[in-house]
Amino acid sequence: MGTERRPRRVLIVGATSAIAAEVARCYAARGASLVLTGRNPARLAAVGDDLRVRGAGSIETEVLDLLDRERHGAVVKRAFAGPLDVALLAHGDLPDQQRCQSEPGEAAGALELNLVATVELLTLLAREFETQGSGTIAVITSVAGDRGRQSNYVYGAAKAGVSVFLQGLRQRLHAMGVRVVTLKPGFVDTPMTAHLPRNPLASSPQRAARAIYHAIESRRDVAYIPWFWRPVMALIRAIPEPLFKKLRL
Ligand SMILES: NC(=O)c1ccc[n+]([C@@H]2O[C@H](COP(=O)([O-])OP(=O)(O)OC[C@H]3O[C@@H](n4cnc5c(N)ncnc54)[C@H](OP(=O)(O)O)[C@@H]3O)[C@@H](O)[C@H]2O)c1
């Protein structure tokens, strides 16, 4: 299928994310109007200014801490002041796995942002897109949700929960003309991973963003970002559990 060219109206949640800001540049370069949310007003304004210079049709910003779940409804309503073509959810936080193991509140907090807030927002967005009868909901989950590993299974559990939620949502909304895209990046060099040893398979935010833009616009259901993570994760999922539990991953 060809890549969509007409100007679009696009909501990006977590627009200050390194990956999301690059996806937003792909849309801005094609004249899209962008509704951006982020929790840091100064960084959000800087992202908006950059996108204006790069050709965005218009920029609207909403300061939103996603843990403030009571505000989700009002922000979604304002985003739907006009028809919305795409909503991209890009927020996330990689918790410290060791702290999650010693402090239950840390694990719960990671699930609160990465899973619970995401599900709440998706529920509100799904209702609006259903009423509209068109559009695309795209969500950045992670390859970490494909198999639990000792190094990051709390984060992985949150992302797995989102991925399964999206499977059901995709089936539900298909008949209404609304698409749901699951985006599964592998390791990307961003502030989220800056403290980790460099991964030989790491991508730049620019490369990840181009793949994400293409996956959304070429009507994919599930996309690994970049593509080679699909066979890598198929291999990892295929390792029998009795062997997998002995590996240091
Ligand atoms: N980097 C990777 O290797 C990788 C791999 C797979 C999946 N992902 C996923 O890709 C997405 C983007 O991550 P990234 O790598 O671009 O990292 P990033 O640059 O650190 O972006 C994370 C974003 O989440 C936002 N955020 C965190 N807590 C929030 C809250 N309570 N309310 C609102 N926003 C909040 C951050 O806002 P602030 O700017 O205010 O901090 C930031 O915009 C995430 O969903 C992440 O889980 C990343």
Side-chain angles (χ1 to χ4, degrees), residues 14-20 38-40 43 64-67 89-93 113-114 140-143 155 159 184-193:
T16 55
S17 118
I19 297 173
R39 65 177 165 172
N40 180 319
R43 292 188 54 208
L64 175 65
D65 185 327
L66 286 153
L67 294 176
L89 272 55
H91 62 280
D93 185 40
L113 176 70
N114 292 306
I140 304 182
T141 69
S142 172
V143 295
Y155 175 74
K159 294 297 195 181
K184 296 187 176 185
F187 196 103
V188 185
D189 282 324
T190 70
M192 184 178 286
T193 53

Side-chain angles (χ1 to χ4, degrees), residues 68-81:
D68 190 359
R69 299 200 335 249
E70 288 185 355
R71 291 200 53 241
H72 289 191
V75 170
V76 168
K77 270 271 173 260
R78 281 195 291 275
F80 273 90

